[in-house]
Amino acid sequence: MGGNKIKEFLDLRKALLSDRDAAELQHRKGKLTARERLKYLLDQDSFVELDACAELQSTGLEEKKKPGDGVVVGHGKISKRPVYVYAQDFSFMGGSMGEFHNKKISHVMELALKTGCPCIGLLDSGGARIQEGVAALDSGGKIFQLNTLSSGIVPQISAIMGPCAGIAVYSPALTDFILMVKKTSYMFITGPDVIKTVTGESIDFEGLGGASAHSEKSGVAHFVADNEKECLDIIKVLLSYLPQNNLENPPYYAADSLRETKKIESIVPEDPRKTYDIKEVITEVFDRKSFFEVHSNYAQNVVIGFARLNGHSVGIVATQPKVLAGCLDINSSGKISRFVRFCDCFNIPLINLVDVTGYLPGTVQEHNGIIKHGAKVLFAYSEATVPKISLVLRKAYGGAYIALVSKDMGFDKVLAWPIAEIAVMGAEQAVSIINKDEISKSPKSKAGLAERYAEKYLNPYVAAKLGKVDMIIEPRETRNALIKCLDMLLPKREKRPAKKHANMPL
Amino acid sequence: MEEIVVKVDGKEYKVFVEETEEGKVFVHCGSDVYEVETKKDVEHSAIERLHRKSTAETGNEITAPLPGVIYDVKVREGDKLKQGQPLFTLMAMKMENEVTAPRDCTVKELKVKKNDNVNRDDVLAIIE
């Protein structure tokens, strides 16, 4: 057999896989190379590289040509489950997205879609490769198209591990989750220089599009890691809660025990005006160490995340009395609805923990569209066909009640503690409307009226009598009751009328 | 071109300001022409607001997280506080929300008293 040809090939392969030059550049910045990242992310020896020989075809850049075109793509396994991956190589022309670079990314995305595997992108790129002109731009459009087609079919995860600027930001934005690394990753549409020229504002990369800007202010990033390895670890943890695709169920882990959740009694004050940390309740109720918070720094008045309940993946949406009284506002509405829709796509049951009086009042909220943003929450829950369980801890009033608890809107099981107050509004507000004339005649009567209203309506029994609450449980029974409800709801099937797609309020 | 009258040492000068399409600004003064650098006045742009907020968190102003009523003032001017120690209880959304010290600090000035109505982002106290 042609020994020479095989030797030639082996030499070529050795050259292709070497990233010595890249290593020097990346390590100096405290970053790993594309190949090092993939090695850390994937199970040992599981990576299979594709399109390693692809290189740029456009004229004018011949001297820079290098096999691979600045991105490493292929497939491998994470915890023995197959995934498709691509990792941009910043050391080659700044990881810029040329035509073949983009085609390689599209290639693995197509394969991920066809085979029902998660697709993970490790991004480190300065943006479109300007020299390649429209060819580079247009092939970027193909990536957006595939992101959109894959959405709701396979989980898509984007880790920003360097710059991600201009049009390059929109592929991550179309995926399900974005991770960023502190101090080394940036995302923005227009950079500090352009902003300076156009608006006169001075801002640095970190302030404009760093990890903290996007995890706390814009909400673009769902997770922030201190370093690259932590970032890759988060991807592995995240995948452990998710199925491979929309036709599978999430992985089941060994069941944790049934147990009384007594500690809750000391966490949640009986006085509905006192605050507490809902995360302590979550930790107590769900499987030990299973709570994995999403968007932990953004819109902290609502806590969302994955956890396991008796071994089953669930999505938690909980109001956080400790921050802004757990109120619903524009940011938390976006946070909730996107999470609910993700869980629904991938067959992850939803569990709500509710203790909230309503929406944040104010002109800022109204003028920025709380009406349309709040509608997203209603839309997302109404649309979701996964099992939906809601537990009212203390307060569920008015609009917040409908959004997070209402049986008629489609919650399958509603539970409440005996201290729960399910009503249209609080006592003082209610009597000042209902008993307006009486109070205007003798203002002193208000306190007594409010007290009587509270006694009559601020409890879970009025709703229970109407069949709007299925079970009233002691706080210590919370975990066991939720497990029993979930067990019975897991096989739930709910059909929706066929249509092209819905028109979600945006 | 815009005509402006400037007063220097009591004497009035008539100058013409010209802004080109590229954003360059020239000042015509008599027969002389000077190119000048301008500082654009950015009116409370989004990013500036964000900046103010992020400095407020680490800065010297304690602001109201929610619109509501000051239910309790727990400190006096001159008090030394540890990080996380409550300054006020703010009754809002039917809850007693604690407004806490963002870091170890001293209360320099209290801007509100019990039963005051406050809006979101109103300054409640100055710390140092």
Side-chain angles (χ1 to χ4, degrees):
Chain A
M1 226 163 70
N4 277 340
K5 288 201 173 169
I6 290 192
K7 192 178 168 300
E8 258 173 49
F9 162 70
L10 290 175
D11 289 344
L12 172 70
R13 183 157 78 177
K14 203 171 158 194
L16 286 178
L17 296 182
S18 154
D19 56 4
R20 217 172 22 189
D21 303 344
E24 203 180 310
L25 183 93
Q26 292 290 88
H27 292 173
R28 211 168 41 222
K29 291 189 224 157
K31 305 201 294 186
L32 300 171
T33 67
R35 283 203 167 76
E36 285 167 340
R37 287 168 181 164
L38 290 176
K39 194 175 171 197
Y40 185 83
L41 176 70
L42 302 169
D43 293 351
Q44 201 178 357
D45 297 328
S46 72
F47 182 55
V48 174
E49 186 167 350
L50 303 172
D51 298 339
C53 297
E55 59 185 17
L56 64 86
Q57 305 292 318
S58 52
T59 50
L61 283 171
E62 283 86 355
E63 77 283 2
K64 290 201 170 163
K65 208 181 257 190
K66 199 175 139 190
D69 209 25
V71 61
V72 183
V73 308
H75 53 82
K77 290 190 173 178
I78 293 177
S79 304
K80 299 183 184 146
R81 301 161 78 203
V83 293
Y84 279 90
V85 288
Y86 68 88
Q88 291 176 318
D89 176 4
F90 191 78
S91 68
F92 177 73
M93 297 186 76
S96 60
M97 300 172 77
E99 186 186 359
F100 277 79
H101 180 116
N102 291 342
K103 281 187 172 164
K104 283 178 70 173
I105 295 176
S106 302
H107 182 200
V108 282
M109 289 174 71
E110 273 169 344
L111 290 170
L113 181 56
K114 269 189 220 170
T115 55
C117 293
C119 187
I120 299 162
L122 309 180
L123 292 93
D124 191 353
S125 161
R129 193 176 294 156
I130 299 158
Q131 298 92 324
E132 290 191 47
V134 179
L137 280 183
D138 205 53
S139 50
K142 176 77 177 174
I143 296 178
F144 299 162
Q145 163 85 333
L146 282 165
N147 281 136
T148 310
L149 294 180
S150 307
S151 179
I153 295 180
V154 294
Q156 300 180 79
I157 299 169
S158 307
I160 316 299
M161 307 188 83
C164 181
I167 60 151
V169 300
Y170 283 125
S171 171
L174 290 166
T175 63
D176 298 304
F177 293 103
I178 295 181
L179 298 87
M180 290 183 79
V181 184
K182 274 185 193 161
K183 295 198 181 91
T184 53
S185 65
Y186 312 106
M187 289 178 89
F188 43 74
I189 299 283
T190 54
D193 291 347
V194 179
I195 292 181
K196 175 91 189 151
T197 343
V198 176
T199 71
E201 294 160 302
S202 293
I203 189 157
D204 59 6
F205 283 86
E206 184 70 28
L208 177 66
S212 70
H214 284 310
S215 61
E216 292 162 24
K217 291 169 184 160
S218 73
V220 165
H222 300 83
F223 301 98
V224 175
D226 283 336
N227 54 59
E228 296 204 356
K229 285 190 173 167
E230 193 185 289
C231 176
L232 299 168
D233 287 335
I234 293 174
I235 298 178
K236 297 182 204 182
V237 176
L238 175 58
L239 285 172
S240 76
Y241 293 89
L242 314 181
Q244 289 288 92
N245 56 57
N246 65 332
L247 299 178
E248 291 184 11
N249 284 325
Y252 174 77
Y253 281 71
D256 198 351
S257 55
L258 286 169
R259 60 170 185 268
E260 285 208 323
T261 43
K262 267 190 196 164
K263 216 175 129 193
I264 292 182
E265 290 160 13
S266 62
I267 300 169
V268 183
E270 207 176 319
D271 181 350
R273 292 180 306 178
K274 301 277 185 233
T275 62
Y276 61 93
D277 187 352
I278 192 72
K279 287 188 209 173
E280 289 181 33
V281 176
I282 294 173
T283 312
E284 178 69 5
V285 170
F286 293 87
D287 292 0
R288 287 188 183 87
K289 292 187 180 164
S290 76
F291 179 52
F292 179 61
E293 192 175 358
V294 178
H295 257 155
S296 61
N297 300 326
Y298 178 69
Q300 292 174 320
N301 35 334
V302 167
V303 173
I304 60 168
F306 299 103
R308 293 195 179 89
L309 188 60
N310 212 26
H312 297 286
S313 269
V314 292
I316 300 172
V317 174
T319 55
Q320 170 62 292
K322 207 180 79 169
V323 182
L324 303 179
C327 67
L328 297 178
D329 60 0
I330 290 173
N331 289 352
S332 65
S333 295
K335 175 171 162 175
I336 294 172
S337 44
R338 186 147 170 82
F339 182 69
V340 166
R341 295 190 99 212
F342 176 83
C343 289
D344 188 45
C345 288
F346 294 105
N347 314 317
I348 299 169
L350 288 161
I351 296 183
N352 289 357
L353 305 179
V354 183
D355 186 354
V356 62
T357 54
Y359 291 84
L360 180 66
T363 47
V364 176
Q365 289 288 311
E366 296 291 348
H367 293 171
N368 285 306
I370 181 64
I371 294 177
K372 63 183 180 185
H373 294 289
K376 290 177 188 173
V377 179
L378 310 177
F379 194 96
Y381 276 117
S382 297
E383 183 191 45
T385 56
V386 288
K388 292 176 282 189
I389 300 171
S390 186
L391 168 69
V392 181
L393 284 71
R394 295 191 312 186
K395 293 183 275 17
Y397 289 170
Y401 161 77
I402 302 182
L404 301 173
V405 189
S406 165
K407 277 202 85 173
D408 280 350
M409 207 181 75
F411 285 92
D412 299 299
K413 273 270 164 47
V414 174
L415 290 72
W417 287 352
I419 55 171
E421 301 176 353
I422 301 176
V424 178
M425 56 179 72
E428 287 198 9
Q429 272 174 303
V431 293
S432 63
I433 297 168
I434 303 169
N435 308 91
K436 199 176 168 190
D437 295 343
E438 209 176 329
I439 292 171
S440 64
K441 272 179 224 153
S442 70
K444 278 185 185 163
S445 66
K446 191 176 177 184
L449 286 165
E451 204 171 301
R452 253 170 288 156
Y453 180 93
E455 206 170 299
K456 199 169 172 194
Y457 295 107
L458 298 190
N459 58 55
Y461 302 106
V462 177
K465 283 175 194 167
L466 295 169
K468 306 300 180 193
V469 170
D470 295 292
M471 297 163 70
I472 300 172
I473 55 165
E474 253 193 289
R476 66 172 66 187
E477 295 167 334
T478 303
R479 174 176 167 83
N480 297 351
L482 287 175
I483 288 174
K484 285 176 191 161
C485 289
L486 182 67
D487 265 351
M488 295 310 290
L489 282 170
L490 279 174
K492 177 190 170 191
R493 288 284 175 270
E494 203 172 290
K495 283 265 183 296
R496 289 283 188 263
K499 57 184 159 186
K500 196 169 165 191
H501 61 72
N503 183 15
M504 185 178 182
L506 294 170
Chain B
M1 233 186 282
E2 205 181 335
E3 186 185 322
I4 298 178
V5 180
V6 282
K7 228 179 192 174
V8 183
D9 293 335
K11 206 176 158 194
E12 278 188 1
Y13 298 87
K14 206 182 268 179
V15 297
F16 296 90
V17 180
E18 179 195 10
E19 191 165 359
T20 66
E21 273 173 18
E22 300 90 352
K24 286 183 177 172
V25 178
F26 296 96
V27 176
H28 299 256
C29 184
S31 56
D32 296 326
V33 181
Y34 305 94
E35 187 183 342
V36 294
E37 256 183 42
T38 56
K39 233 182 190 170
K40 283 206 175 151
D41 184 22
V42 182
E43 273 190 308
H44 303 299
S45 68
I47 290 177
E48 225 178 16
R49 260 204 308 276
L50 291 175
H51 262 290
R52 213 176 47 209
K53 208 178 161 211
S54 63
T55 48
E57 278 153 18
T58 50
N60 293 329
E61 289 179 348
I62 305 278
T63 56
L66 281 162
V69 178
I70 300 292
Y71 186 68
D72 193 10
V73 181
K74 300 190 164 197
V75 293
R76 275 180 301 189
E77 284 173 9
D79 280 4
K80 284 192 172 21
L81 302 180
K82 287 254 176 283
Q83 187 184 351
Q85 204 176 325
L87 287 96
F88 305 98
T89 307
L90 176 68
M91 191 58 108
M93 307 294 294
K94 303 179 188 73
M95 289 193 97
E96 294 169 13
N97 303 277
E98 299 214 311
V99 181
T100 56
R103 56 165 198 271
D104 294 355
C105 59
T106 308
V107 182
K108 194 177 168 194
E109 194 188 344
L110 291 171
K111 296 270 194 188
V112 289
K113 55 186 191 306
K114 199 174 165 170
N115 294 329
D116 277 1
N117 276 300
V118 294
N119 268 319
R120 194 177 186 175
D121 292 337
D122 277 1
V123 178
L124 307 179
I126 309 283
I127 54 166
E128 59 182 7

